[in-house]
């Protein structure tokens, strides 16, 4: 079955394509659909980036950045694993009669530390706070 189309334009588009064009125009303050089509056609015929060396340099920079982030992530995971091993190695098992009280205390202490950490982020750069916002929303 063929997708639904609209006759708003001198050529056929699916209804989904028409909605996406209208949304793009609204988001980017494109005044008319004709302006959108002229812009899209000019981008297809004369893209801003045609220099292969510039494209390669951009891709190399992106590759290098991703490798740096990957190495930093490996270091972070290694450090967290080390801390967990260190913590478990140097702290004795809690006796059974104290486990429930220790568990309740641990949850309360974690909540206090977590709230303090969230408060400290108010002094952090906006980008860092933005990256962590979803995480904090999920763990309220």
């Amino acid at each position: 079955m063929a997708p639904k189309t609209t006759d708003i334009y001198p050529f056929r588009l699916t209804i989904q394509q028409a909605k996406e064009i209208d949304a793009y125009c609204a988001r980017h303050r494109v005044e008319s659909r004709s302006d959108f089509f002229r812009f899209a056609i000019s981008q297809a015929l004369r893209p801003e980036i045609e220099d292969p060396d510039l494209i390669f340099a951009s891709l190399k920079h992106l590759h290098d950045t991703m490798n740096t982030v990957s190495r930093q992530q490996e270091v972070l995971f290694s450090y967290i694993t080390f801390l967990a091993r260190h913590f478990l190695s140097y702290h004795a098992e809690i006796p059974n009669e104290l486990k429930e009280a220790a568990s309740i205390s641990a949850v309360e202490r974690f909540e206090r530390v977590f709230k303090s950490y969230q408060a400290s982020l108010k002094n952090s750069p906006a980008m860092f706070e933005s990256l962590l916002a979803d995480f904090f929303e999920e763990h309220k």
Side-chain angles (χ1 to χ4, degrees):
M1 186 161 141
K4 294 180 183 178
T5 61
T6 180
D7 291 325
I8 295 173
Y9 308 105
F11 49 89
R12 291 182 141 340
L13 294 172
T14 65
I15 291 173
Q16 182 61 34
Q17 288 170 328
K19 287 179 182 178
E20 289 173 358
I21 289 169
D22 291 340
Y24 181 92
C25 289
R27 249 190 342 266
H28 297 283
R29 294 187 175 99
V30 176
E31 292 185 17
S32 70
R33 291 183 190 109
S34 295
D35 288 343
F36 169 80
F37 288 119
R38 282 191 286 275
F39 170 74
I41 290 167
S42 71
Q43 289 298 306
L45 297 177
R46 294 183 309 275
E48 289 182 20
I49 300 177
E50 292 182 358
D51 182 3
D53 292 333
L54 182 60
I55 293 171
F56 177 76
S58 296
L59 290 174
K60 182 173 180 348
H61 176 70
L62 180 62
H63 177 264
D64 293 344
T65 301
M66 289 176 66
N67 278 340
T68 300
V69 169
S70 178
R71 283 194 313 272
Q72 291 169 341
Q73 187 178 32
E74 287 175 21
V75 168
L76 192 60
F77 287 153
S78 174
Y79 181 66
I80 290 170
T81 302
F82 171 80
L83 284 177
R85 252 188 262 126
H86 177 77
F87 178 79
L88 293 172
S89 297
Y90 291 99
H91 290 83
E93 186 74 27
I94 298 172
N96 284 336
E97 60 273 6
L98 299 176
K99 282 186 179 181
E100 186 175 342
S103 175
I104 293 169
S105 172
V107 169
E108 290 171 353
R109 287 182 288 134
F110 174 79
E111 291 298 324
R112 285 194 309 266
V113 167
F114 193 69
K115 286 179 183 176
S116 174
Y117 180 62
Q118 284 177 313
S120 75
L121 288 178
K122 291 178 183 173
N123 298 324
S124 296
M127 179 186 251
F128 182 68
E129 190 171 8
S130 173
L131 290 173
L132 295 175
D134 290 338
F135 175 80
F136 289 130
E137 286 300 317
E138 291 175 10
H139 294 88
K140 276 188 175 179

